[in-house]
Amino acid sequence: MSTGFTVIRDNTPTSAIPKGAVVAMGNFDGVHLGHRAVIGAALAMGRAHGVPALAVTFEPHPRSFFSPNTPQFRLTDETNKLRLLAATGLAGAVVMTFDKARAGTSAQDFIHHDLIGRLGISGIAVGYDFHFGKGRVGSPSLLVSEAPRLGIEVDVQAHVDIEERPVSSSAIRMALAEGEIADATTMLGGPWFVTGKVVHGEKRGRDLGYPTANIRLDKHCGLKHGIYAVRVGKGSQRFDGVASFGRRPTFDNGAPLLEVFLFDFKGDLYDAVLDVAFIGFIREELKFDTIEALIRQMDDDSAKARAVLAAAPDAFPQLGVIG
């Protein structure tokens, strides 16, 4: 696990920014295998030149800025994106605020003012399809053409394919929306996960013999409603469990809620912050006519979840510490 991962923001003094670093630039939603190829190229470049390698990323996601009224299912919020980046070996991340001013900055000004002037980069790695600057005029080919004059090295990574399908954040969102957890895990290079604080619920699970830790996910979460085998992180502790994400059709058909039952756990989890990694899809959400039928199904779900988790004993996202 990486430590001392430094986060540089718009208000970080220029004097505190390490000059001569190489950067991997992208939105990095999910930090999937395609992103990791770009990061790997930056790390290799940094090692070759004896300089640190940083990520350059943007918050909020530019898509949220340009289409504020369109629901955006993000694979990782800012904090979890940084935690994933911190585990890759990068020395830190530059988080640039994506606002009206940045959206209106020309590609040339971005290169000269932000990358060269403020960050003082010596090299940059990007994906083949990454664009930047006003009107998305900035491109990998522009960086390549400008590199000799700027005295920087540029590495452009091709797309990463799995079984002849390109890895992308949108493909992962689609897989999660269809409950294809194995596909999402493969493209991400590790399990997809969410983080949230445990809130008080109706305590029905306790009455059924299945006390749950309830977490409200982002309202735009596009995960398929259903039952999942999950592995939960509470700090450095790990617990196996089974989770339901959906509207609880047997009871109230309410707002989507993640309800997690931890196997062989006793204790109070209220207000605890948990990382919930999705290891396998068990079944779709169902409505039951009787409580007895629901409990029988929950017993079966738990047995199936235990089997899925036993087959993947080490499955959990690699997370670093944000220094």
Side-chain angles (χ1 to χ4, degrees), residues 242-291:
V242 62
S244 167
F245 177 61
R247 298 184 182 277
R248 305 168 304 285
T250 300
F251 295 106
D252 57 16
N253 205 32
L257 183 70
L258 178 65
E259 300 174 283
V260 184
F261 172 67
L262 301 182
F263 302 140
D264 312 314
F265 175 84
K266 295 187 184 301
D268 184 1
L269 289 172
Y270 288 122
D271 293 327
V273 175
L274 304 179
D275 295 315
V276 183
F278 293 78
I279 311 302
F281 181 75
I282 305 297
R283 63 171 174 85
E284 295 189 3
E285 193 172 40
L286 299 172
K287 183 174 182 177
F288 295 89
D289 294 330
T290 66
I291 297 301

Side-chain angles (χ1 to χ4, degrees), residues 211-228:
T212 58
N214 303 319
I215 299 173
R216 295 277 180 200
L217 302 188
D218 185 275
K219 63 181 180 180
H220 300 314
C221 178
L223 178 68
K224 181 182 179 71
H225 290 183
I227 310 302
Y228 295 86

Side-chain angles (χ1 to χ4, degrees), residues 2 22 24 33 75 126 165 171 187 206 220 229 252 275 281 286 288 306 312 318:
S2 174
V22 300
L33 292 183
L75 298 175
V126 293
R165 292 185 302 164
M187 288 187 282
R206 183 182 302 174
H220 300 314
D252 57 16
D275 295 315
F281 181 75
L286 299 172
F288 295 89
R306 285 182 184 272
Q318 294 296 310

Side-chain angles (χ1 to χ4, degrees), residues 126-311:
V126 293
Y128 72 101
D129 59 349
F130 185 76
H131 289 78
F132 60 94
K134 185 178 180 180
R136 290 169 54 83
V137 171
S139 65
S141 61
L142 176 63
L143 289 169
V144 169
S145 67
E146 289 284 285
R149 186 164 63 86
L150 297 172
I152 64 172
E153 183 177 349
V154 176
D155 186 298
V156 180
Q157 287 292 303
H159 54 77
V160 173
D161 293 343
I162 295 177
E163 296 180 352
E164 300 183 355
R165 292 185 302 164
V167 172
S168 69
S169 297
S170 58
I172 296 167
R173 291 187 194 99
M174 186 176 299
L176 293 172
E178 296 173 353
E180 300 291 345
I181 296 299
D183 282 353
T185 300
T186 298
M187 288 187 282
L188 285 165
W192 180 69
F193 75 106
V194 296
T195 302
K197 179 180 286 190
V198 178
V199 299
H200 288 271
E202 299 296 327
K203 299 181 174 57
R204 295 192 188 97
R206 183 182 302 174
D207 296 335
L208 300 175
Y210 282 89
T212 58
N214 303 319
I215 299 173
R216 295 277 180 200
L217 302 188
D218 185 275
K219 63 181 180 180
H220 300 314
C221 178
L223 178 68
K224 181 182 179 71
H225 290 183
I227 310 302
Y228 295 86
V230 297
R231 182 158 289 130
V232 175
K234 181 177 181 289
S236 61
Q237 297 176 291
R238 300 288 179 265
F239 305 96
D240 286 354
V242 62
S244 167
F245 177 61
R247 298 184 182 277
R248 305 168 304 285
T250 300
F251 295 106
D252 57 16
N253 205 32
L257 183 70
L258 178 65
E259 300 174 283
V260 184
F261 172 67
L262 301 182
F263 302 140
D264 312 314
F265 175 84
K266 295 187 184 301
D268 184 1
L269 289 172
Y270 288 122
D271 293 327
V273 175
L274 304 179
D275 295 315
V276 183
F278 293 78
I279 311 302
F281 181 75
I282 305 297
R283 63 171 174 85
E284 295 189 3
E285 193 172 40
L286 299 172
K287 183 174 182 177
F288 295 89
D289 294 330
T290 66
I291 297 301
E292 291 74 20
L294 172 60
I295 293 174
R296 285 195 298 272
Q297 184 62 60
M298 292 167 72
D299 291 342
D300 185 62
D301 294 338
S302 295
K304 289 178 178 175
R306 285 182 184 272
V308 169
L309 293 160

Side-chain angles (χ1 to χ4, degrees), residues 5-59:
F5 183 83
T6 302
V7 179
I8 298 165
R9 300 188 182 275
D10 294 349
N11 60 358
T12 300
T14 303
S15 59
I17 299 173
K19 296 300 185 289
V22 300
V23 298
M25 186 165 69
N27 291 315
F28 298 126
D29 188 24
V31 195
H32 57 59
L33 292 183
H35 298 145
R36 290 173 187 272
V38 175
I39 292 165
L43 289 168
M45 195 186 302
R47 285 193 297 269
H49 297 289
V51 297
L54 309 171
V56 170
T57 191
F58 305 87
E59 289 293 338

